Amino acid sequence: MLKLEDISKYYYSSSNVTCALRKINLEFKIGEFVAVTGESGSGKTTIFNLLTKSYIVDSGIIKIDEYDINDLDEDTLRNNI
């Protein structure tokens, strides 16, 4: 199972803070097919980048089978996503 719990992500610039995701909760079961849709700028790519650890969450936790993805090495993460 892949689970996102209260995920928030912000982007910072010299004059602005942009909230990309605010307290998002999602759960995907093994074997389940999911499509993520939405308007441009709605956070789809941000979610993907958080799942692959390309970005770090500002708050919340992402788990694979109850393990925090931050505790998994890159190979283990790839094999489980």
Side-chain angles (χ1 to χ4, degrees), residues 3 6 10-11 16 36 38 42-43 49 51 54 67 69 71 79:
K3 193 172 189 177
D6 292 325
Y10 299 89
Y11 295 108
N16 236 351
V36 179
S42 63
N49 285 324
L51 292 175
S54 296
Y67 294 98
I69 67 166
D71 296 335
N79 290 332

Side-chain angles (χ1 to χ4, degrees), residues 4-8 20-26 42 47 61:
L4 290 78
E5 298 177 349
D6 292 325
I7 298 298
S8 294
L21 301 170
R22 183 179 298 129
K23 297 194 177 215
I24 298 297
N25 292 290
L26 297 171
S42 63
I47 289 171
I61 189 169

Side-chain angles (χ1 to χ4, degrees), residues 16-70:
N16 236 351
V17 176
T18 303
C19 179
L21 301 170
R22 183 179 298 129
K23 297 194 177 215
I24 298 297
N25 292 290
L26 297 171
E27 187 174 307
F28 307 103
K29 294 181 174 63
I30 295 172
E32 185 175 39
F33 288 91
V34 177
V36 179
T37 63
E39 296 179 17
S40 178
S42 63
K44 301 177 301 294
T45 301
T46 298
I47 289 171
F48 175 77
N49 285 324
L50 291 170
L51 292 175
T52 59
K53 293 185 6 178
S54 296
Y55 296 165
I56 303 300
V57 298
D58 289 315
S59 65
I61 189 169
I62 300 174
K63 295 180 180 179
I64 295 178
D65 294 330
E66 300 304 318
Y67 294 98
D68 183 335
I69 67 166
N70 291 317

